[in-house]
Amino acid sequence: MLKNWMVVPTRLPLVRRRCHVCASDRFRASGKFRVNANHKVLDAWLLLLCAACGDTVKLTVLDRVNVRSVRAELLDRLHDNDLGLVADLLQDPVLQRRNRVALDWDDAWRLDTAGSDHLDHEVVDVSVRFAARIPVRPVRLIADGFGLARGEVERLVVEGKVVSAVRLGGKLSGDFTFTFKR
């Protein structure tokens, strides 16, 4: 039996960055952009709010870019504070690297298993898809999907009852498949 599971974001992830006011290390996206034009160059930032004190910081989106080189559609989305653009930019590895930040996906996603009719089968093939690049431990997904403890799933992996072409230790953020045998 083949099951399709989907890892779906439930909210925007928090941004891991040190606050210079209160020393917190979590920021949330405000959903707002600041765009500044200086003659023929453009700067754009995504505004973040400290999760503890509310202080505002900026993530650089565009830095001294010629106005003519910016697509009109992107500029419109920046001016409209498009939440889809916020989500896309937060997951952009180039933007994360440039701004020296990382994402915190704790409690920001859910596993959609499309029902529990797979729990009574002896062998189940599962295809796991990610709606966004959310780093999650496969052992945790399997435990959540089958209603088991993570330690039990780890034992099943060692015994060869949970098999996958990808390494099930560590974190994954890309699609994978596995076979679960009772």
mmCIF file with all atom_site columns, all heavy atoms in Angstrom, residues 122-137:
data_model
loop_
_atom_site.group_PDB
_atom_site.id
_atom_site.type_symbol
_atom_site.label_atom_id
_atom_site.label_alt_id
_atom_site.label_comp_id
_atom_site.label_asym_id
_atom_site.label_entity_id
_atom_site.label_seq_id
_atom_site.pdbx_PDB_ins_code
_atom_site.Cartn_x
_atom_site.Cartn_y
_atom_site.Cartn_z
_atom_site.occupancy
_atom_site.B_iso_or_equiv
_atom_site.pdbx_formal_charge
_atom_site.auth_seq_id
_atom_site.auth_comp_id
_atom_site.auth_asym_id
_atom_site.auth_atom_id
_atom_site.pdbx_PDB_model_num
ATOM 1   N N   . GLU A 1 122 ? 0.429  -4.541 7.222  1.00 0.00 ? 122 GLU A N   1
ATOM 2   C CA  . GLU A 1 122 ? 1.720  -5.155 7.573  1.00 0.00 ? 122 GLU A CA  1
ATOM 3   C C   . GLU A 1 122 ? 2.892  -4.407 6.937  1.00 0.00 ? 122 GLU A C   1
ATOM 4   O O   . GLU A 1 122 ? 3.915  -4.212 7.568  1.00 0.00 ? 122 GLU A O   1
ATOM 5   C CB  . GLU A 1 122 ? 1.743  -6.621 7.131  1.00 0.00 ? 122 GLU A CB  1
ATOM 6   C CG  . GLU A 1 122 ? 0.914  -7.531 8.011  1.00 0.00 ? 122 GLU A CG  1
ATOM 7   C CD  . GLU A 1 122 ? 1.405  -7.568 9.455  1.00 0.00 ? 122 GLU A CD  1
ATOM 8   O OE1 . GLU A 1 122 ? 2.627  -7.700 9.664  1.00 0.00 ? 122 GLU A OE1 1
ATOM 9   O OE2 . GLU A 1 122 ? 0.571  -7.440 10.358 1.00 0.00 ? 122 GLU A OE2 1
ATOM 10  N N   . VAL A 1 123 ? 2.746  -4.024 5.663  1.00 0.00 ? 123 VAL A N   1
ATOM 11  C CA  . VAL A 1 123 ? 3.800  -3.302 4.948  1.00 0.00 ? 123 VAL A CA  1
ATOM 12  C C   . VAL A 1 123 ? 3.186  -2.055 4.325  1.00 0.00 ? 123 VAL A C   1
ATOM 13  O O   . VAL A 1 123 ? 2.169  -2.141 3.640  1.00 0.00 ? 123 VAL A O   1
ATOM 14  C CB  . VAL A 1 123 ? 4.444  -4.182 3.845  1.00 0.00 ? 123 VAL A CB  1
ATOM 15  C CG1 . VAL A 1 123 ? 5.484  -3.383 3.078  1.00 0.00 ? 123 VAL A CG1 1
ATOM 16  C CG2 . VAL A 1 123 ? 5.058  -5.436 4.450  1.00 0.00 ? 123 VAL A CG2 1
ATOM 17  N N   . VAL A 1 124 ? 3.809  -0.925 4.564  1.00 0.00 ? 124 VAL A N   1
ATOM 18  C CA  . VAL A 1 124 ? 3.310  0.337  4.027  1.00 0.00 ? 124 VAL A CA  1
ATOM 19  C C   . VAL A 1 124 ? 4.473  1.064  3.372  1.00 0.00 ? 124 VAL A C   1
ATOM 20  O O   . VAL A 1 124 ? 5.519  1.271  3.998  1.00 0.00 ? 124 VAL A O   1
ATOM 21  C CB  . VAL A 1 124 ? 2.701  1.227  5.136  1.00 0.00 ? 124 VAL A CB  1
ATOM 22  C CG1 . VAL A 1 124 ? 2.172  2.522  4.552  1.00 0.00 ? 124 VAL A CG1 1
ATOM 23  C CG2 . VAL A 1 124 ? 1.615  0.501  5.892  1.00 0.00 ? 124 VAL A CG2 1
ATOM 24  N N   . ASP A 1 125 ? 4.299  1.447  2.110  1.00 0.00 ? 125 ASP A N   1
ATOM 25  C CA  . ASP A 1 125 ? 5.262  2.311  1.415  1.00 0.00 ? 125 ASP A CA  1
ATOM 26  C C   . ASP A 1 125 ? 4.748  3.739  1.544  1.00 0.00 ? 125 ASP A C   1
ATOM 27  O O   . ASP A 1 125 ? 3.590  4.013  1.233  1.00 0.00 ? 125 ASP A O   1
ATOM 28  C CB  . ASP A 1 125 ? 5.378  1.927  -0.058 1.00 0.00 ? 125 ASP A CB  1
ATOM 29  C CG  . ASP A 1 125 ? 6.023  0.569  -0.246 1.00 0.00 ? 125 ASP A CG  1
ATOM 30  O OD1 . ASP A 1 125 ? 7.002  0.284  0.465  1.00 0.00 ? 125 ASP A OD1 1
ATOM 31  O OD2 . ASP A 1 125 ? 5.540  -0.200 -1.093 1.00 0.00 ? 125 ASP A OD2 1
ATOM 32  N N   . VAL A 1 126 ? 5.621  4.620  2.000  1.00 0.00 ? 126 VAL A N   1
ATOM 33  C CA  . VAL A 1 126 ? 5.211  6.007  2.237  1.00 0.00 ? 126 VAL A CA  1
ATOM 34  C C   . VAL A 1 126 ? 6.098  6.940  1.424  1.00 0.00 ? 126 VAL A C   1
ATOM 35  O O   . VAL A 1 126 ? 7.323  6.818  1.430  1.00 0.00 ? 126 VAL A O   1
ATOM 36  C CB  . VAL A 1 126 ? 5.296  6.368  3.730  1.00 0.00 ? 126 VAL A CB  1
ATOM 37  C CG1 . VAL A 1 126 ? 4.894  7.817  3.959  1.00 0.00 ? 126 VAL A CG1 1
ATOM 38  C CG2 . VAL A 1 126 ? 4.431  5.439  4.566  1.00 0.00 ? 126 VAL A CG2 1
ATOM 39  N N   . SER A 1 127 ? 5.460  7.872  0.734  1.00 0.00 ? 127 SER A N   1
ATOM 40  C CA  . SER A 1 127 ? 6.152  8.929  0.007  1.00 0.00 ? 127 SER A CA  1
ATOM 41  C C   . SER A 1 127 ? 5.922  10.232 0.775  1.00 0.00 ? 127 SER A C   1
ATOM 42  O O   . SER A 1 127 ? 4.778  10.658 0.955  1.00 0.00 ? 127 SER A O   1
ATOM 43  C CB  . SER A 1 127 ? 5.587  9.034  -1.412 1.00 0.00 ? 127 SER A CB  1
ATOM 44  O OG  . SER A 1 127 ? 6.127  10.149 -2.065 1.00 0.00 ? 127 SER A OG  1
ATOM 45  N N   . VAL A 1 128 ? 6.991  10.841 1.242  1.00 0.00 ? 128 VAL A N   1
ATOM 46  C CA  . VAL A 1 128 ? 6.898  12.077 2.017  1.00 0.00 ? 128 VAL A CA  1
ATOM 47  C C   . VAL A 1 128 ? 7.285  13.247 1.112  1.00 0.00 ? 128 VAL A C   1
ATOM 48  O O   . VAL A 1 128 ? 8.356  13.241 0.506  1.00 0.00 ? 128 VAL A O   1
ATOM 49  C CB  . VAL A 1 128 ? 7.821  12.035 3.260  1.00 0.00 ? 128 VAL A CB  1
ATOM 50  C CG1 . VAL A 1 128 ? 7.718  13.331 4.054  1.00 0.00 ? 128 VAL A CG1 1
ATOM 51  C CG2 . VAL A 1 128 ? 7.487  10.837 4.130  1.00 0.00 ? 128 VAL A CG2 1
ATOM 52  N N   . ARG A 1 129 ? 6.413  14.232 1.026  1.00 0.00 ? 129 ARG A N   1
ATOM 53  C CA  . ARG A 1 129 ? 6.647  15.434 0.222  1.00 0.00 ? 129 ARG A CA  1
ATOM 54  C C   . ARG A 1 129 ? 6.696  16.646 1.156  1.00 0.00 ? 129 ARG A C   1
ATOM 55  O O   . ARG A 1 129 ? 6.016  16.681 2.174  1.00 0.00 ? 129 ARG A O   1
ATOM 56  C CB  . ARG A 1 129 ? 5.530  15.636 -0.804 1.00 0.00 ? 129 ARG A CB  1
ATOM 57  C CG  . ARG A 1 129 ? 5.329  14.466 -1.719 1.00 0.00 ? 129 ARG A CG  1
ATOM 58  C CD  . ARG A 1 129 ? 6.311  14.518 -2.872 1.00 0.00 ? 129 ARG A CD  1
ATOM 59  N NE  . ARG A 1 129 ? 6.177  13.345 -3.706 1.00 0.00 ? 129 ARG A NE  1
ATOM 60  C CZ  . ARG A 1 129 ? 7.117  12.447 -3.870 1.00 0.00 ? 129 ARG A CZ  1
ATOM 61  N NH1 . ARG A 1 129 ? 8.266  12.569 -3.260 1.00 0.00 ? 129 ARG A NH1 1
ATOM 62  N NH2 . ARG A 1 129 ? 6.938  11.415 -4.652 1.00 0.00 ? 129 ARG A NH2 1
ATOM 63  N N   . PHE A 1 130 ? 7.471  17.632 0.773  1.00 0.00 ? 130 PHE A N   1
ATOM 64  C CA  . PHE A 1 130 ? 7.608  18.860 1.556  1.00 0.00 ? 130 PHE A CA  1
ATOM 65  C C   . PHE A 1 130 ? 7.025  20.020 0.755  1.00 0.00 ? 130 PHE A C   1
ATOM 66  O O   . PHE A 1 130 ? 7.442  20.264 -0.379 1.00 0.00 ? 130 PHE A O   1
ATOM 67  C CB  . PHE A 1 130 ? 9.079  19.144 1.873  1.00 0.00 ? 130 PHE A CB  1
ATOM 68  C CG  . PHE A 1 130 ? 9.661  18.219 2.900  1.00 0.00 ? 130 PHE A CG  1
ATOM 69  C CD1 . PHE A 1 130 ? 10.061 16.928 2.573  1.00 0.00 ? 130 PHE A CD1 1
ATOM 70  C CD2 . PHE A 1 130 ? 9.809  18.639 4.207  1.00 0.00 ? 130 PHE A CD2 1
ATOM 71  C CE1 . PHE A 1 130 ? 10.598 16.075 3.514  1.00 0.00 ? 130 PHE A CE1 1
ATOM 72  C CE2 . PHE A 1 130 ? 10.350 17.789 5.174  1.00 0.00 ? 130 PHE A CE2 1
ATOM 73  C CZ  . PHE A 1 130 ? 10.747 16.508 4.824  1.00 0.00 ? 130 PHE A CZ  1
ATOM 74  N N   . ALA A 1 131 ? 6.074  20.744 1.351  1.00 0.00 ? 131 ALA A N   1
ATOM 75  C CA  . ALA A 1 131 ? 5.499  21.915 0.698  1.00 0.00 ? 131 ALA A CA  1
ATOM 76  C C   . ALA A 1 131 ? 6.460  23.099 0.759  1.00 0.00 ? 131 ALA A C   1
ATOM 77  O O   . ALA A 1 131 ? 6.337  24.034 -0.019 1.00 0.00 ? 131 ALA A O   1
ATOM 78  C CB  . ALA A 1 131 ? 4.171  22.284 1.351  1.00 0.00 ? 131 ALA A CB  1
ATOM 79  N N   . ALA A 1 132 ? 7.401  23.058 1.684  1.00 0.00 ? 132 ALA A N   1
ATOM 80  C CA  . ALA A 1 132 ? 8.430  24.093 1.830  1.00 0.00 ? 132 ALA A CA  1
ATOM 81  C C   . ALA A 1 132 ? 9.701  23.401 2.314  1.00 0.00 ? 132 ALA A C   1
ATOM 82  O O   . ALA A 1 132 ? 9.664  22.261 2.757  1.00 0.00 ? 132 ALA A O   1
ATOM 83  C CB  . ALA A 1 132 ? 7.976  25.156 2.830  1.00 0.00 ? 132 ALA A CB  1
ATOM 84  N N   . ARG A 1 133 ? 10.829 24.123 2.229  1.00 0.00 ? 133 ARG A N   1
ATOM 85  C CA  . ARG A 1 133 ? 12.103 23.540 2.675  1.00 0.00 ? 133 ARG A CA  1
ATOM 86  C C   . ARG A 1 133 ? 12.173 23.582 4.205  1.00 0.00 ? 133 ARG A C   1
ATOM 87  O O   . ARG A 1 133 ? 12.790 24.459 4.783  1.00 0.00 ? 133 ARG A O   1
ATOM 88  C CB  . ARG A 1 133 ? 13.257 24.309 2.066  1.00 0.00 ? 133 ARG A CB  1
ATOM 89  C CG  . ARG A 1 133 ? 13.370 24.161 0.566  1.00 0.00 ? 133 ARG A CG  1
ATOM 90  C CD  . ARG A 1 133 ? 14.438 25.074 -0.022 1.00 0.00 ? 133 ARG A CD  1
ATOM 91  N NE  . ARG A 1 133 ? 15.503 25.391 0.905  1.00 0.00 ? 133 ARG A NE  1
ATOM 92  C CZ  . ARG A 1 133 ? 16.748 24.935 0.801  1.00 0.00 ? 133 ARG A CZ  1
ATOM 93  N NH1 . ARG A 1 133 ? 17.094 24.185 -0.199 1.00 0.00 ? 133 ARG A NH1 1
ATOM 94  N NH2 . ARG A 1 133 ? 17.662 25.270 1.685  1.00 0.00 ? 133 ARG A NH2 1
ATOM 95  N N   . ILE A 1 134 ? 11.510 22.626 4.843  1.00 0.00 ? 134 ILE A N   1
ATOM 96  C CA  . ILE A 1 134 ? 11.440 22.557 6.302  1.00 0.00 ? 134 ILE A CA  1
ATOM 97  C C   . ILE A 1 134 ? 12.342 21.415 6.770  1.00 0.00 ? 134 ILE A C   1
ATOM 98  O O   . ILE A 1 134 ? 12.064 20.265 6.473  1.00 0.00 ? 134 ILE A O   1
ATOM 99  C CB  . ILE A 1 134 ? 9.990  22.298 6.770  1.00 0.00 ? 134 ILE A CB  1
ATOM 100 C CG1 . ILE A 1 134 ? 9.060  23.371 6.221  1.00 0.00 ? 134 ILE A CG1 1
ATOM 101 C CG2 . ILE A 1 134 ? 9.923  22.225 8.291  1.00 0.00 ? 134 ILE A CG2 1
ATOM 102 C CD1 . ILE A 1 134 ? 7.593  23.074 6.428  1.00 0.00 ? 134 ILE A CD1 1
ATOM 103 N N   . PRO A 1 135 ? 13.423 21.714 7.475  1.00 0.00 ? 135 PRO A N   1
ATOM 104 C CA  . PRO A 1 135 ? 14.291 20.629 7.945  1.00 0.00 ? 135 PRO A CA  1
ATOM 105 C C   . PRO A 1 135 ? 13.652 19.882 9.116  1.00 0.00 ? 135 PRO A C   1
ATOM 106 O O   . PRO A 1 135 ? 13.356 20.467 10.152 1.00 0.00 ? 135 PRO A O   1
ATOM 107 C CB  . PRO A 1 135 ? 15.570 21.356 8.378  1.00 0.00 ? 135 PRO A CB  1
ATOM 108 C CG  . PRO A 1 135 ? 15.140 22.754 8.657  1.00 0.00 ? 135 PRO A CG  1
ATOM 109 C CD  . PRO A 1 135 ? 13.934 23.030 7.812  1.00 0.00 ? 135 PRO A CD  1
ATOM 110 N N   . VAL A 1 136 ? 13.387 18.591 8.917  1.00 0.00 ? 136 VAL A N   1
ATOM 111 C CA  . VAL A 1 136 ? 12.719 17.764 9.921  1.00 0.00 ? 136 VAL A CA  1
ATOM 112 C C   . VAL A 1 136 ? 13.443 16.422 9.982  1.00 0.00 ? 136 VAL A C   1
ATOM 113 O O   . VAL A 1 136 ? 13.890 15.902 8.962  1.00 0.00 ? 136 VAL A O   1
ATOM 114 C CB  . VAL A 1 136 ? 11.237 17.531 9.550  1.00 0.00 ? 136 VAL A CB  1
ATOM 115 C CG1 . VAL A 1 136 ? 10.538 16.695 10.597 1.00 0.00 ? 136 VAL A CG1 1
ATOM 116 C CG2 . VAL A 1 136 ? 10.511 18.847 9.359  1.00 0.00 ? 136 VAL A CG2 1
ATOM 117 N N   . ARG A 1 137 ? 13.521 15.857 11.162 1.00 0.00 ? 137 ARG A N   1
ATOM 118 C CA  . ARG A 1 137 ? 14.093 14.526 11.319 1.00 0.00 ? 137 ARG A CA  1
ATOM 119 C C   . ARG A 1 137 ? 13.092 13.499 10.805 1.00 0.00 ? 137 ARG A C   1
ATOM 120 O O   . ARG A 1 137 ? 11.948 13.464 11.262 1.00 0.00 ? 137 ARG A O   1
ATOM 121 C CB  . ARG A 1 137 ? 14.406 14.244 12.783 1.00 0.00 ? 137 ARG A CB  1
ATOM 122 C CG  . ARG A 1 137 ? 15.487 15.133 13.336 1.00 0.00 ? 137 ARG A CG  1
ATOM 123 C CD  . ARG A 1 137 ? 15.836 14.744 14.776 1.00 0.00 ? 137 ARG A CD  1
ATOM 124 N NE  . ARG A 1 137 ? 16.720 15.718 15.367 1.00 0.00 ? 137 ARG A NE  1
ATOM 125 C CZ  . ARG A 1 137 ? 18.017 15.821 15.086 1.00 0.00 ? 137 ARG A CZ  1
ATOM 126 N NH1 . ARG A 1 137 ? 18.563 14.994 14.235 1.00 0.00 ? 137 ARG A NH1 1
ATOM 127 N NH2 . ARG A 1 137 ? 18.761 16.740 15.655 1.00 0.00 ? 137 ARG A NH2 1
#
